Amino acid sequence: MSNSYDVIVIGAGPAGYVAAIRAAQLGLKTICIEKWRNAEGEGVNGGTCLNVGCIPSKSLLDSSYKYYEAKNQLGVHGISVGDVSIDLTAMVDRKNKIINQLTDGIAGLFKSNGVVSLFGNAKLLSGRQIECVTHDGKTQILTADNIIIATGSKPIDIPVARVNGATIVDSSGALEITETPNRLGVIGAGVIGLELGSVWNRIGSKVVLIEAMDDFLSIIDQQIAKETRKIFTKQGMDIRLGSRVTGTKVKGKEVIVTYKDSAGKETKEVFDKLIVCVGRTPYTEGLLSPDSGVNLDERGRIFVNEQCETTASGVWAVGDVVRGPMLAHKGSEEGVMVAERIAGQKTQINYDIIPNVIYTHPEVAAVGKTEEQLKQAGESYNVGVFPFAASGRAMAANDTDGMVKIIADAKTDRILGCHIVGPSAADLVQQIAIAMEFGSNAEDIAMTVFSHPTLSETVHEAALAVNGHAIHMPNRKKRG
Ligand code: FAD
Ligand code: NAD
């Protein structure tokens, strides 16, 4: 194997493997180094996203929703299915099969695109050199004109709730549970807490989410957050806000969690399983030699500019290990941008239009600015809201919780944001992401012909409502 490359990528998660494939497509001699080992100890590509993140969590979300639907929701259609049961080992095995299929798929994509794949632990030395200790214990020194760091992130560990892999687990451990916990505690009512909490709420656990912040989902549009909280509470999830965990005690097969509310009142709660999901932190352990020239920022992320260049010439960094939302698609787009810039193109990313989704049921999805952000910036804007309860298609599907909200500039009518809680919110919000990328106005969406009956019509009606023209509900503001 040659030791000199045009591009070395460190990390084969969605940021790194996409960067490697794009670089190879552009004719650059590319190698991707990955240190992940699967349960059998073999090297696998795919990173957090494929192995313990996006894909496995969605697999469990889909399985558990089908079970919940079969058990609780088919009666309304006149369908009776008798006793419904779930085999959790089969559910987890299915998830693992999907992971294997997709991680093998990356190996295939590397091969077909001419990316060299190497399994081992990479360290960045000075002068664009990499020291790699491969999985078979050999040390290699590799050099390249350009190096792309894509080493991702790992769960934040809190001293008050140390993960023990049995009663207390992090998001990775939570994907391996094969016995229904009667009482499931979740520290952190963020994205992971809500997704994994939903899985077990559907399967029958009593789920309590303990969240330090006073506001629910404080980073999303608060009208949507309030609606979402109502829906999840109706589903049976117990969301305790303003509650900071101060200690945990494992006693046999139980864990006792102590938390304090905003008034300082202490409460104890006993669980059979506790999932800790209080955020993720960039992963740079053992990555940088002291003379690598790569600087970190104040939050331990690799410092990069808008184009993902680090402080060391020819060294780039993308994905969770750098600033910005920790989302697979954000990292992948950065990977493409960097590969194309290395090849001499002027590719840029529009960081203002990155959609964000929580894959619960209903889904919560957003793109662009929230009403709170616009208020704070002193912008004037119009809002159009349309509830799924008024959608014929949502009624036909018996899936009427939630709403679509579109925000547009009061002067220009240009769309500034879209926020949805409701069925297929992830796919609906993407329509507005595309419209925003093209600089559309709310009126452009209003003038577009939408198929009937579709859930997409809710987006159409919300766009009409921005200017007071909604047809299938009374308009709050009539604007001629
Ligand atoms: P990673 O996927 O973390 O990959 C980094 C890779 O680098 C790893 O494979 C690691 O082994 C390797 N590596 C690190 N250091 C070295 C080294 N020194 N040498 C060699 N290799 C190294 N995001 C979404 O957009 N949608 C979702 O639905 C979603 N769901 C999620 C669900 C869960 C439970 C979790 C935990 C995360 C989820 N995310 C989701 C977030 C998403 O997984 C991350 O944003 C994404 O994986 C980041 O991609 P990345 O390539 O930057 O890093
Ligand atoms: P998060 O930031 O979404 O939520 C963590 C929550 O924990 C926050 O609300 C925080 O206030 C709370 N918290 C922190 N310390 C606490 C304490 N001591 N006691 C109680 N609550 C506490 O983080 P996450 O859910 O761990 O997810 C990590 C990241 O992974 C996300 O930010 C997201 O970028 C990514 N992710 C994305 C998806 C998706 O796109 N669907 C899914 C899962 C994860």
Side-chain angles (χ1 to χ4, degrees), residues 356-430:
N356 208 329
V357 179
I358 307 175
Y359 293 88
T360 44
H361 196 102
E363 291 171 343
V364 186
V367 64
K369 299 275 187 263
T370 64
E371 226 184 311
E372 289 73 28
Q373 286 170 327
L374 292 168
K375 261 187 206 137
Q376 202 177 15
E379 305 278 349
S380 52
Y381 57 87
N382 293 323
V383 173
V385 171
F386 192 80
F388 283 93
S391 153
R393 189 58 199 265
M395 275 184 226
N398 189 37
D399 214 349
T400 52
D401 280 340
M403 60 171 77
V404 176
K405 172 174 182 174
I406 294 178
I407 311 176
D409 187 291
K411 287 187 218 93
T412 64
D413 195 39
R414 195 173 174 137
I415 301 173
L416 301 173
C418 176
H419 310 275
I420 306 178
V421 52
S424 300
D427 294 303
L428 298 182
V429 95
Q430 196 62 45

Side-chain angles (χ1 to χ4, degrees), residues 10-16 33-36 46-49 52-54 57-58 120-123 150-153 171 175 192 195-196 280 283 285-287 318-321 326-329 331 359:
I10 309 176
I33 307 173
E34 171 56 61
K35 73 174 190 181
W36 201 289
T48 302
C49 169
V52 293
C54 320
S57 58
K58 267 79 256 179
N121 202 329
K123 183 175 192 166
T151 51
S153 62
S171 58
L175 299 168
I192 296 181
E195 289 188 354
L196 296 181
R280 296 179 63 83
Y283 187 71
E285 266 164 46
L287 174 71
V318 294
D320 279 12
V321 79
M326 287 184 171
L327 296 171
H329 42 287
Y359 293 88

